[in-house]
Amino acid sequence: MNTTGRVYRAPEKDYPFFGAFFIKRGEIMERRLRVVVIGAGIVGALIAREFTKYACDVCLLEQEIEAGWGVTKANSAIVHGGYDDEPATIRAKFCAQGNQMYDSLSKELNIDFQRTGSYVLAFSDEDILHLEGLLTQAKTNGVIGCRIDRRDEVLTRQPKLNKMMKAAFWCPSAGITEPWMIAMAAVESMQLNGGRFFPGNPVIGVDVDHKGAVRGVRTSQEFFHADIVVNASGLYADRITQMVGLDPLLLYPRKGEYILLDKKMGSIVSAVIFPVPTKQSKGILVVPTVDGGVLLGPTAEDLDQRCIEDTSTTRIGLERIKSLVHRLVPDIDESQTVKTFAGLRPETPLKDFVVGPTEIKGFFQAAAMRSPGLTSAPAIAKYMATEAVQEGIGIQLTSNPHFRPNVPKYIRTSEQSLTQWDELVAKDPRYGKMICVCNKITEGEIRDAIIRGARTVDGIKFRTRAGFGHCQGGFCLPKVVELLQRYGHIPMDQLTLRGKASALLSSEVRT
Amino acid sequence: MEKQNMICVSCPLGCDLEVEIRGEEIEVKGYRCKRGETYARNEILDPRRMVTSNVRVSNGDCPLVSVKTIAPLPKGLMGELIEALKQIRLEPPVQIGQVIIRNFQNTGIDIVATRAVGLDSSDQKHEPEHELKKVSEG
Amino acid sequence: MKEIRVDVLVIGAGAAGMAASIESASRGCHTVLLEREDCSGGVLNQCIHNGFGLHVFKEELTGPEYADRFRRQMDEKGVQVRTVQFVVSIDPSKKAVITMSQEGAVVFHPKRVIMTTGARERAFGSLMIPGTRPSGIFTAGVAQRFVNLQNRLPGKKIFLLGSGDIGLIMARRLALEGADVLGVAELMPFPGGLARNIAQCLNDFDIPLHLSTSVVEVHGKDRLEAITIARFDPKTRTAIDGSHKKIEVDTLILSVGLIPQNELIDSFVQIHPTTKGVVVDSMMRTSHPWIFAAGNNVAIYDLVDFVTLDGKTAGQNASRFEETFPSDTLPIVLGKSVGVSIPNKIVKQGDPFILYLRSKKVIEKGIVEIGPGLIRRTRIGIKPSEMIDIPFTQKDLERLRESNLDRVYIDIQEGS
């Protein structure tokens, strides 16, 4: 790491208010720029990682004990094509760009990304008109390869779709991924490049100096000096916005409920299936998941501003999903349900992202990341560290020549050939002991997850997929608990499902 | 006069029994065979239960050993038995059938182990701390 | 990669697998029993309550004791038990079973395979109960393992959903350990478990049983805080308005059903569409002549003794390698009152066997009719929770062969 020498180029003008020192034209400063990103969802994590591509000191703060456990954890996991956003919007700007970045991003971070393509089904002439509108919008937004296919063509590729459809809009660049893995891998990448991660650290204040520039961020444990603060705090964006004294974004949560079906249903569709959207939402979809399951949903219910932690499913919501999916795929069998869950998306009355610099010098928003936030995240990260910083504080950051983009891949024995697996077991027999029998995950892989940061049952689940299968932990939970004790040194009475107050078990039977 | 209802468990019929207790006299109604009457009487005069539970083992390959009463125990003593079991700590090896408590409360009933527990043989005790990546502070 | 030839390979060392392997080894077959856990015994190891062995040993044993009897016999008969060995896949075209262990991959080439892979518990997620997703929700088997093998209580204020035996046993276990067991909800209008368990697990501890009731909502952000239960209309199977009640609990234990596990063979072997059990004939052979099966992966049994007996049959027949193996079968067709039968088919030239049936209804006095005209048996106190066992004797088989039935019809009639 380079601690001396040129860290940034002096701007055209002097900025006397900038931090504790004075940048003069031509002078070279020795202190690295301090960046604090609030929120380690996919957006915050990728932004934090992006800043480590430059000579900055990066701190990423997160209130949960893991990255990606807010909005990032519970959504459709779709990398959208970008045809669906009105051209003048901010999301249109970032969605198509972000989509294109997923190939290289997934290789660098070694996470699952599949370009499955997507279909929007039309059942009437009015629907077809809408599809034609999508085609035009796609071209304007720079989305390549879209077209409208007739019914028969669509059915040869996706035979299980409703034969009553007339046509479908096909977008080859849409895909599916595993959003929380991206957030976690982005955090690891940031750490490998010198950034620091502070989970379990909710922000309680952001300090602004008398000249209207950020000084730093306050948590209950410490104060982080900052030249740049990025608000990527998801559902909590307004809390942070109000801490700096800016007008609230009027953020409110939009609840989406989901039904996840067993892998047995996995082959029913191989692309993301959309209905023609309504004014309310993109509709109830049928989405394949990267690990072979099928996701149904989401519903779209606007909640009161204060309900930013309400991730409960409802009878009405689940019934709605069940009643609407058959229109797209008649053979969906709900008896194959593995689990149901709900996620919240942060929405504002503008129905668009709030991204970029603000009146507070050094304070940047990466907020209201509703759909297509996941898709746009890599593009927003790039924008934040370049154009936004330039516009906001007049600085062009210097590259970090030591940036290493890659993150080691998690070993997945279930993806290896028998010979490869055999060789692996010869080196470490723990990869030969099965723990999660539904998804075929071994003790070695769970130990890897613990070494890379998992301290809870969900921490292991989200890194390895142990417990995601149809027995839902029925066979592996007691073993995962034992491994958390053995490799994570966590005593039984401190084990939790996902941190905070989610205690897993109670007292001993016999002391 | 006291009334009690119970289900006879002597056969799959599961007759609903109604028992009326007048001092020393017990009248049973609702049974369809003699076993029902016997069952009800026993439940009133001398209710007994087989009790199965666990006892703590130190340094064993399992933290608990399962135990049972070798004969049905008077129902009223169940609570005391559990309390007594809580006080015991065994060292391995434990054999199946090993007597854990002899003649509990003078009932003539022993409490025995129902599984074998050996010494803790795991060589993978604990992963060295330094191997764990610190979660915070990069 | 090791390749091993064996006579009989048994997959799953629970009650069925242990019985099957003992039988096969007794007949001189080189028998290997595979088990993915650290030791044999299956769920018997955690079922510390008694009620096992009344038929097979004429004694009442606890689960661990029952398992121990079979371990001794496996030792005596020379069954090769391989634990921490996981079956990755089965290739019927090559007659190969691919496995992985801590010593590496091993491919077995068995002359016969016996699938005794048991069942898994129906999980909370599949019930689609609205509400939050806090910690504190366990299936009964998982709770039982924590309590009896890992020395941990699941919680302190407990409610149970489902009155199946596993749940009832856990209700008692937890009440004995001083937990507050607030009640059991059962969706059906009748209990799911044995009457003996209702009496000794619930009534003994004054734990209320709410029939025609289920959990309709779960509350609590991080850990479970409460559940809402409601009464259900038995006809419409929907919650009755106004019957909702919120109960403060920190633990919800589910015993809402067991699902046979046949993922290794379900792509090439006939599976029953409703029960998801593997279809077997009276010789415990599946639709693939190489593969036999017994135990909970065939159908859900309620007495382990019956599992043992069927495991024995599978072991017996799997170790027969004669050229003319009897294979002419007649399908069993179930009437309105019967939900499940084991087996699903009868081998005409086969051996006598025991037929197990599960009624769909509660019938105080009923007549089981098989044939028609083959067997008529009266049974009292018929309940869905208690299997009916009916011996199909040599004589019954002879009469079957003499008749010109092309299927065997089974139903239960009410009355005398």
Side-chain angles (χ1 to χ4, degrees):
Chain A
M1 267 189 293
N2 195 5
T3 52
T4 60
R6 193 189 297 265
V7 290
Y8 42 68
R9 222 181 45 203
E12 292 298 299
K13 311 201 315 224
D14 292 341
Y15 283 82
F17 58 81
F18 195 87
F21 57 92
F22 200 79
I23 309 168
K24 276 201 158 96
R25 193 182 318 209
E27 266 188 54
I28 295 168
M29 291 298 115
E30 288 193 6
R31 183 171 69 69
R32 291 160 62 83
L33 210 66
R34 291 174 301 205
V35 178
V36 172
V37 180
I38 303 173
I42 190 172
V43 174
L46 284 173
I47 289 175
R49 174 179 183 254
E50 196 70 20
F51 275 103
T52 64
K53 292 180 181 174
Y54 304 93
C56 298
D57 282 336
V58 181
C59 290
L60 176 59
L61 309 182
E62 168 58 45
Q63 55 127 357
E64 297 279 357
I65 56 157
E66 295 270 16
W69 275 12
V71 176
T72 300
K73 191 176 68 147
N75 53 67
S76 318
I78 300 171
V79 177
H80 291 282
Y83 53 80
D84 205 38
D85 302 291
E86 290 102 72
T89 59
I90 300 172
R91 42 191 162 84
K93 174 181 168 193
F94 287 112
C95 185
Q97 256 185 57
N99 176 302
Q100 290 309 307
M101 295 168 79
Y102 262 84
D103 290 307
S104 56
L105 183 69
S106 57
K107 288 198 184 72
E108 287 170 5
L109 298 182
N110 265 305
I111 49 98
D112 259 316
F113 165 61
Q114 295 168 31
R115 272 198 204 283
T116 56
S118 66
Y119 281 105
V120 181
L121 305 191
F123 290 88
S124 66
D125 291 333
E126 200 188 319
D127 283 351
I128 294 182
L129 270 177
H130 178 90
L131 298 193
E132 286 164 6
L134 289 181
L135 202 54
T136 315
Q137 200 161 258
K139 291 200 175 80
T140 316
N141 289 347
V143 183
I144 335 163
C146 299
R147 57 170 199 261
I148 297 175
D149 284 345
R150 291 281 125 197
R151 180 182 163 278
D152 293 333
E153 164 75 40
V154 178
L155 288 173
T156 43
R157 313 252 221 92
Q158 304 289 331
K160 293 291 191 174
L161 295 182
N162 192 344
K163 297 182 180 14
M164 303 282 286
M165 82 163 112
K166 292 191 157 188
F169 173 88
W170 163 248
C171 172
S173 58
I176 54 174
T177 186
E178 214 165 14
W180 54 86
M181 284 299 279
I182 300 177
M184 287 197 277
V187 169
E188 281 192 307
S189 177
M190 175 202 71
Q191 289 174 305
L192 283 169
N193 288 296
R196 294 186 295 159
F197 181 47
F198 297 87
N201 262 269
V203 168
I204 56 176
V206 182
D207 283 15
V208 177
D209 71 16
H210 61 281
K211 298 209 178 102
V214 282
R215 274 191 64 243
V217 176
R218 196 173 294 281
T219 69
S220 60
Q221 296 177 34
E222 54 189 295
F223 179 75
F224 295 83
H225 291 275
D227 304 304
I228 291 174
V229 173
V230 181
N231 179 14
S233 57
L235 295 160
Y236 302 90
D238 252 345
R239 282 198 198 163
I240 306 294
T241 301
Q242 286 170 338
M243 284 177 195
V244 292
L246 286 170
D247 284 338
L249 304 171
L250 303 178
L251 208 77
Y252 60 90
R254 231 154 100 81
K255 184 189 288 192
E257 297 183 42
Y258 293 89
I259 293 175
L260 179 66
L261 301 181
D262 192 289
K263 286 191 222 172
K264 279 204 155 57
M265 284 259 100
S267 56
I268 204 166
V269 292
S270 57
V272 182
I273 311 295
F274 292 84
V276 163
T278 62
K279 272 196 162 49
Q280 241 303 66
S281 75
K282 287 193 171 81
I284 307 258
L285 326 173
V286 178
V287 192
T289 66
V290 290
D291 57 348
V294 184
L295 195 59
L296 310 175
T299 55
E301 187 197 344
D302 292 335
L303 302 182
D304 183 272
Q305 274 186 344
R306 290 159 295 177
C307 299
I308 55 178
E309 294 188 342
D310 176 8
T311 52
S312 60
T313 52
T314 63
R315 191 175 57 82
I316 295 172
L318 297 174
E319 290 300 320
R320 196 177 151 73
I321 299 174
K322 286 195 277 186
S323 63
L324 291 175
V325 285
H326 295 276
R327 192 155 166 270
L328 299 177
V329 183
D331 292 342
I332 291 278
D333 181 7
E334 291 94 24
S335 73
Q336 297 289 331
T337 298
V338 167
K339 66 189 284 191
T340 59
F341 63 94
L344 299 172
R345 297 94 97 188
E347 181 73 283
T348 66
L350 292 172
K351 301 215 190 294
D352 200 1
F353 303 155
V354 177
V355 180
T358 64
E359 295 117 59
I360 305 286
K361 283 283 185 274
F363 184 80
F364 297 82
Q365 296 280 30
M369 304 298 315
R370 31 95 85 207
S371 180
L374 165 59
T375 315
S376 310
I380 288 177
K382 185 164 173 206
Y383 158 79
M384 196 62 69
T386 53
E387 291 166 58
V389 165
Q390 174 85 48
E391 196 189 319
I393 58 170
I395 283 178
Q396 193 173 319
L397 301 173
T398 316
S399 289
N400 169 12
H402 305 286
F403 178 78
R404 289 144 59 212
N406 290 355
V407 163
K409 184 170 170 27
Y410 274 95
I411 293 173
R412 288 211 207 279
T413 57
S414 57
E415 289 169 14
Q416 295 180 343
S417 70
L418 193 63
T419 319
Q420 288 172 312
W421 189 4
D422 203 20
E423 285 165 8
L424 179 63
V425 173
K427 289 191 214 125
D428 186 344
R430 289 175 289 203
Y431 289 102
K433 183 168 180 179
M434 202 57 67
I435 302 294
C436 167
V437 298
C438 296
N439 287 343
K440 302 209 179 81
I441 296 150
T442 63
E443 179 174 319
E445 293 161 75
I446 293 182
R447 179 172 164 272
D448 290 339
I450 294 174
I451 289 177
R452 285 169 81 161
R455 291 290 175 277
T456 58
V457 172
D458 273 6
I460 289 179
K461 191 192 296 186
F462 282 92
R463 282 180 178 75
T464 64
R465 298 180 187 158
F468 266 157
H470 53 208
C471 92
Q472 290 285 288
F475 286 117
C476 65
L477 179 64
K479 295 181 199 171
V480 164
V481 160
E482 198 267 316
L483 293 176
L484 276 167
Q485 286 181 279
R486 196 186 329 154
Y487 295 123
H489 307 290
I490 304 166
M492 278 265 222
D493 52 17
Q494 283 173 41
L495 279 170
T496 62
L497 179 63
R498 48 173 184 258
K500 294 186 177 171
S502 65
L504 200 66
L505 298 161
S506 181
S507 56
E508 285 184 303
V509 177
R510 297 276 175 267
T511 45
Chain B
M1 198 253 290
E2 197 198 314
K3 264 196 184 172
Q4 257 195 61
N5 286 327
M6 61 182 73
I7 305 169
C8 177
V9 298
S10 311
C11 88
L13 256 184
C15 298
D16 284 309
L17 305 173
E18 199 184 277
V19 187
E20 287 177 9
I21 309 158
R22 292 178 218 93
E24 298 269 303
E25 234 181 83
I26 299 173
E27 192 185 334
V28 184
K29 294 184 197 151
Y31 59 87
R32 275 172 275 200
C33 81
K34 202 81 172 67
R35 287 192 287 173
E37 212 207 344
T38 317
Y39 175 79
R41 283 185 178 283
N42 284 335
E43 281 297 293
I44 303 295
L45 296 171
D46 181 27
R48 286 178 175 252
R49 296 286 183 267
M50 292 289 286
V51 182
T52 55
S53 184
N54 299 98
V55 162
R56 186 78 170 90
V57 179
S58 306
N59 309 313
D61 55 25
C62 188
L64 297 174
V65 66
S66 47
V67 300
K68 72 173 186 186
T69 54
I70 57 164
L73 190 75
K75 204 169 157 191
L77 287 175
M78 274 164 77
E80 273 182 61
L81 175 58
I82 300 296
E83 287 310 307
L85 294 176
K86 282 183 186 172
Q87 309 303 322
I88 299 173
R89 247 184 194 256
L90 298 173
E91 287 285 340
V94 181
Q95 330 276 15
I96 293 192
Q98 182 174 318
V99 177
I100 310 296
I101 300 177
R102 201 170 286 282
N103 188 12
F104 180 67
Q105 297 283 46
N106 260 312
T107 54
I109 297 170
D110 293 342
I111 317 304
V112 299
T114 54
R115 60 172 286 173
V117 177
L119 273 159
D120 186 3
S121 58
S122 62
D123 35 35
Q124 285 175 346
K125 277 252 159 70
H126 280 287
E127 193 75 3
E129 284 268 9
H130 68 262
E131 275 234 40
L132 285 176
K133 184 175 121 161
K134 290 277 182 236
V135 173
S136 63
E137 309 277 275
Chain C
M1 205 161 303
K2 268 167 105 172
E3 311 248 353
I4 302 182
R5 293 201 173 283
V6 301
D7 288 335
V8 177
L9 185 68
V10 186
I11 300 175
M18 293 194 291
S21 60
I22 288 165
E23 201 57 34
S24 154
S26 304
R27 283 150 193 267
C29 289
H30 174 206
T31 308
V32 172
L33 175 59
L34 299 180
E35 172 52 53
R36 66 193 185 196
E37 291 284 324
D38 293 338
C39 59
S40 59
V43 285
L44 290 168
N45 297 326
Q46 63 187 62
C47 291
I48 67 164
H49 54 280
N50 55 14
F52 305 92
L54 263 172
H55 296 249
V56 169
F57 297 114
K58 305 285 187 278
E59 282 180 69
E60 211 178 346
L61 301 172
T62 61
E65 288 170 312
Y66 191 86
D68 182 66
R69 298 278 173 101
F70 289 92
R71 273 192 213 108
R72 283 176 205 276
Q73 285 186 51
M74 289 196 294
D75 253 345
E76 274 168 47
K77 303 296 180 187
V79 174
Q80 202 196 115
V81 183
R82 297 172 73 118
T83 56
V84 195
Q85 189 129 17
F86 184 75
V87 176
V88 179
S89 64
I90 298 180
D91 185 344
S93 61
K94 297 200 185 85
K95 291 215 176 141
V97 176
I98 298 158
T99 72
M100 181 57 81
S101 72
Q102 292 180 282
E103 290 77 41
V106 179
V107 180
F108 288 93
H109 297 278
K111 288 195 194 148
R112 289 275 163 71
V113 173
I114 307 181
M115 301 297 293
T116 46
T117 46
R120 67 171 195 274
E121 297 184 278
R122 174 163 278 124
F124 176 68
S126 66
L127 302 177
M128 299 209 252
I129 295 179
T132 54
R133 294 290 170 266
S135 62
I137 300 174
F138 301 91
T139 51
V142 171
Q144 188 181 54
R145 198 174 159 129
F146 276 124
V147 172
N148 293 334
L149 296 180
Q150 292 177 264
N151 193 23
R152 275 288 152 176
L153 290 170
K156 290 265 155 43
K157 270 183 121 177
I158 307 185
F159 196 88
L160 294 106
L161 175 58
S163 62
D165 287 317
I166 310 167
L168 301 178
I169 297 287
M170 279 317 288
R172 174 176 63 185
R173 186 85 193 84
L174 294 165
L176 263 176
E177 291 306 326
D180 212 349
V181 183
L182 298 172
V184 178
E186 167 56 57
L187 182 61
M188 293 287 123
F190 45 80
L194 303 169
R196 184 170 89 152
N197 288 331
I198 302 289
Q200 296 188 350
C201 299
L202 299 188
N203 299 343
D204 269 6
F205 296 91
D206 291 320
I207 298 170
L209 172 62
H210 309 273
L211 293 174
S212 296
T213 304
S214 191
V215 174
V216 294
E217 198 175 347
V218 157
H219 311 269
K221 181 168 174 289
D222 297 315
R223 173 88 194 193
L224 185 65
E225 285 162 31
I227 51 162
T228 301
I229 59 172
R231 292 218 61 192
F232 274 64
D233 182 330
K235 290 195 198 75
T236 62
R237 298 270 198 105
T238 54
I240 297 169
D241 279 336
S243 71
H244 294 61
K245 206 165 79 158
K246 194 169 181 183
I247 305 176
E248 276 181 24
V249 296
D250 69 4
T251 311
L252 177 63
I253 292 186
L254 308 165
S255 63
V256 290
L258 294 172
I259 303 168
Q261 297 203 103
N262 292 298
E263 286 79 31
L264 286 168
I265 57 173
D266 62 12
S267 60
F268 54 87
V269 151
Q270 196 187 357
I271 303 289
H272 193 285
T274 346
T275 68
K276 308 294 183 211
V278 56
V279 168
V280 294
D281 62 26
S282 51
M283 302 191 68
M284 303 313 283
R285 194 164 49 171
T286 68
S287 60
H288 196 295
W290 180 51
I291 303 179
F292 288 72
N296 273 355
N297 55 311
V298 170
I300 307 304
Y301 290 69
D302 33 61
L303 285 189
V304 79
D305 297 66
F306 296 161
V307 168
T308 295
L309 294 173
D310 274 358
K312 263 183 95 164
T313 308
Q316 263 172 258
N317 293 318
S319 42
R320 288 167 59 168
F321 300 112
E322 70 258 37
E323 296 231 352
T324 51
F325 199 109
S327 50
D328 195 16
T329 60
L330 287 182
I332 290 177
V333 176
L334 301 179
K336 282 200 311 280
S337 300
V338 187
V340 177
S341 83
I342 308 166
N344 312 87
K345 303 177 182 179
I346 299 177
V347 180
K348 273 172 101 168
Q349 306 294 332
D351 301 322
F353 60 97
I354 303 177
L355 179 67
Y356 298 106
L357 302 173
R358 201 181 279 287
S359 166
K360 277 183 176 165
K361 307 181 183 157
V362 175
I363 301 171
E364 202 165 270
K365 193 168 185 188
I367 303 164
V368 180
E369 297 215 1
I370 303 175
L374 281 179
I375 296 175
R376 262 181 133 242
R377 293 275 180 277
T378 313
R379 286 283 189 273
I380 51 168
I382 296 173
K383 301 181 192 73
S385 61
E386 302 186 21
M387 268 177 142
I388 300 164
D389 55 314
I390 295 185
F392 213 97
T393 65
Q394 193 67 267
K395 265 208 153 142
D396 297 322
L397 277 168
E398 276 165 21
R399 283 196 285 130
L400 176 63
R401 283 177 218 136
E402 279 157 28
S403 79
N404 52 9
L405 289 169
D406 64 348
R407 57 216 242 297
V408 177
Y409 186 79
I410 304 181
D411 205 358
I412 306 173
Q413 305 297 343
E414 297 198 45
S416 44

